Amino acid sequence: MENLEMISFQIISCVGTAKSSYIEAARKAQAYEFDKAEELIKEGDAIYIKGHEAHASLIQQEARGESVAVNMLLMHAEDQLMAAENFKAFAEQQIVIFKKFQDIENR
């Protein structure tokens, strides 16, 4: 398998795992399990970084003047990277919102 394909699959694998952690964090927030939700965000971040670093290696390659062939697999990897970022933002907002809900319920 070519280097670009390997990097693309690495991105997809890492950010897909991170996205799953962020989705589960949102679910935990909805159940008022905030410590677990925040732990899942951190776990997601740890694996997301690996996918981001793989993507950054392609950007650095391009910056050195070494062409990176854009193909459907790489576009999918980048789409998954952005989706994971969006799910993280969503999960963080869920934590904030449900903390407020819990506070209102406890009044």
Side-chain angles (χ1 to χ4, degrees):
M1 192 176 295
E2 291 184 26
N3 188 42
L4 179 61
E5 291 173 330
M6 289 296 293
I7 292 172
S8 295
F9 280 121
Q10 181 181 7
I11 294 166
I12 292 165
S13 176
C14 291
V15 302
T17 300
K19 184 171 68 171
S20 294
S21 290
Y22 300 147
I23 291 168
E24 186 60 24
R27 289 186 179 123
K28 293 297 181 184
Q30 293 166 7
Y32 295 167
E33 297 177 34
F34 303 117
D35 289 340
K36 183 62 179 171
E38 290 168 359
E39 179 183 322
L40 284 160
I41 295 284
K42 288 179 186 173
E43 288 175 15
D45 287 348
I47 192 74
Y48 177 88
I49 290 289
K50 293 177 184 180
H52 188 275
E53 288 171 349
H55 186 256
S57 74
L58 294 175
I59 294 170
Q60 292 167 351
Q61 179 181 334
E62 187 82 23
R64 289 190 303 268
E66 301 168 22
S67 181
V68 174
V70 177
N71 59 31
M72 290 300 292
L73 187 60
L74 178 57
M75 288 190 326
H76 176 64
E78 290 181 327
D79 178 58
Q80 293 303 301
L81 187 82
M82 291 174 14
E85 287 180 29
N86 288 334
F87 273 103
K88 178 183 178 183
F90 171 76
E92 289 174 331
Q93 284 302 306
Q94 291 290 96
I95 293 169
V96 170
I97 290 166
F98 281 93
K99 281 182 177 181
K100 289 180 180 183
F101 284 171
Q102 185 180 50
D103 184 50
I104 291 167
E105 288 177 1
N106 289 336
R107 287 185 193 173

